[in-house]
Amino acid sequence: MKNTNNNENKKVWFITGASKGLGLSLVKQLLADGQKVAATSRYVASLVKATGETSENFLPLHVNLADENSVAEAIQATYNTFNRIDVVINNAGYGIGGSIEELTDEEARESFDINVFGTLNVIRAVMPFMRAQRWGHIINISSIAGIASGTGWALYAATKFAVIGLSEVLAEDVKEFGIKVTVVAPGAFRTNFLAADSLVLTQSPIDAYQDVRNTHARYLQMDGQQIGDPEKAAAAMIKIADDENPPLHLLLGEDAYNRAMAKLLVLDKEFRLNEELSKSMAYQG
């Protein structure tokens, strides 16, 4: 069922991780278009300052995404303020680099808390509202690393693979309620993703992992030189929220497209190479 309550196709958006990067670009474009936006951040003052917005269409929220109660309170506050929630964008997350051996259990769990469980907390909290209204669109931001990663990013890739997997099944689970799901896999965009507050690198490097060090050095040199324009990425996500049949998977960036297609070729080759063995597992007789 389509939302027939929107005035002139304006929507109510709930966006996490909104004080910088793609999240901030989304908030600014939506508010400039007169749409209603609830936006979360760990630092609300920074969010308000970055947007320069004080209108009644804007609800800045301090949220700890790893805390289920904090998330539930933010979702309820959004509904109380705007009377519905049309689009959720689970954008918050951060990068983590290092071999598995070099990263602690605490670092791994903190990464999953934000990149995966934060997304799950938002989905759990918003679903009762979307089920009741029989419409909605959940957009989860993964990464091309969740499709085709590389040396030195095992835990980051694991969190982003998880976001893709949960999104694919979520789409099946909620389609009967008129709710759409899209998982977005961006490539490299010119945000502050490579800055210290968005990227954690191992604090206990092991000399043997020289390839990992070299990979990280190359990525850090990209800071400020990424080919992707975050304003175009934000506009693309806003566009698909207006589509009658939005994609389940959306690649953003030529680099993301090329890496994903290369991964498809690798999988096709490997699966076919072992086809006979794969199919030989049945009981005989």
Side-chain angles (χ1 to χ4, degrees):
M1 177 178 177
K2 292 183 64 177
N3 178 1
T4 58
N5 294 324
N6 287 334
N7 295 323
E8 300 178 356
N9 295 319
K10 304 304 182 186
K11 296 181 173 66
V12 175
W13 301 68
F14 182 91
I15 301 172
T16 67
S19 62
K20 58 188 177 181
L22 289 177
L24 182 58
S25 294
L26 281 161
V27 171
K28 286 183 173 180
Q29 288 189 30
L30 289 166
L31 291 174
D33 189 44
Q35 307 214 37
K36 301 179 188 299
V37 181
T40 82
S41 175
R42 292 174 296 171
Y43 312 106
V44 171
S46 297
L47 172 59
V48 173
K49 181 178 180 180
T51 60
E53 185 71 40
T54 58
S55 79
E56 62 182 12
N57 286 344
F58 182 46
L59 179 64
L61 296 163
H62 175 269
V63 177
N64 175 6
L65 291 173
D67 183 335
E68 192 170 19
N69 291 329
S70 177
V71 172
E73 290 171 2
I75 291 290
Q76 185 67 58
T78 301
Y79 186 82
N80 291 347
T81 301
F82 298 126
N83 299 314
R84 66 178 194 274
I85 302 173
D86 300 311
V87 184
V88 166
I89 300 187
N90 283 304
N91 168 71
Y94 67 93
I96 181 168
S99 71
I100 291 175
E101 185 182 3
E102 295 172 313
L103 293 164
T104 66
D105 180 75
E106 181 180 7
E107 288 171 322
R109 291 177 186 276
E110 287 178 352
S111 178
F112 271 84
D113 274 347
I114 300 302
N115 292 1
V116 180
F117 287 99
T119 294
L120 293 175
N121 286 339
V122 171
I123 293 168
R124 274 195 294 264
V126 81
M127 274 304 304
F129 298 98
M130 287 189 169
R131 279 193 295 105
Q133 66 193 23
R134 307 295 292 190
W135 75 73
H137 192 172
I138 298 172
I139 301 175
N140 296 325
I141 309 300
S142 176
S143 166
I144 188 57
I147 297 172
S149 191
T151 302
W153 307 102
L155 286 176
Y156 181 64
T159 65
K160 294 305 183 178
F161 269 103
V163 170
I164 291 173
L166 70 89
S167 298
E168 290 175 346
V169 180
L170 177 67
E172 291 296 315
D173 291 347
V174 303
K175 64 183 180 182
E176 66 178 297
F177 310 120
I179 300 168
K180 310 296 185 182
V181 177
T182 297
V183 59
V184 179
F189 281 81
R190 200 169 299 179
T191 66
N192 59 347
F193 182 76
L194 296 178
D197 61 344
S198 297
L199 177 64
V200 173
L201 296 179
T202 178
Q203 297 300 299
S204 304
I206 297 172
D207 290 343
Y209 287 103
Q210 192 55 52
D211 285 348
V212 172
R213 303 288 84 74
N214 293 340
T215 296
H216 291 170
R218 286 196 300 273
Y219 269 85
L220 292 174
Q221 289 173 359
M222 288 173 53
D223 194 18
Q225 304 299 317
Q226 300 96 323
I227 193 171
D229 181 346
E231 297 303 320
K232 291 182 177 179
M237 286 186 271
I238 293 169
K239 177 182 180 300
I240 65 166
D242 280 331
D243 289 351
E244 183 71 22
N245 295 297
L248 173 55
H249 302 89
L250 178 65
L251 301 169
L252 290 180
E254 184 176 357
D255 57 336
Y257 182 85
N258 290 340
R259 285 170 63 180
M261 297 307 291
K263 179 65 174 288
L264 284 178
L265 293 175
V266 169
L267 289 177
D268 183 73
K269 181 179 179 180
E270 288 189 347
F271 291 165
R272 292 181 187 278
L273 183 65
N274 294 290
E275 179 180 2
E276 184 177 352
L277 177 62
S278 297
K279 292 180 175 179
S280 67
M281 298 295 108
Y283 285 106
Q284 300 298 314

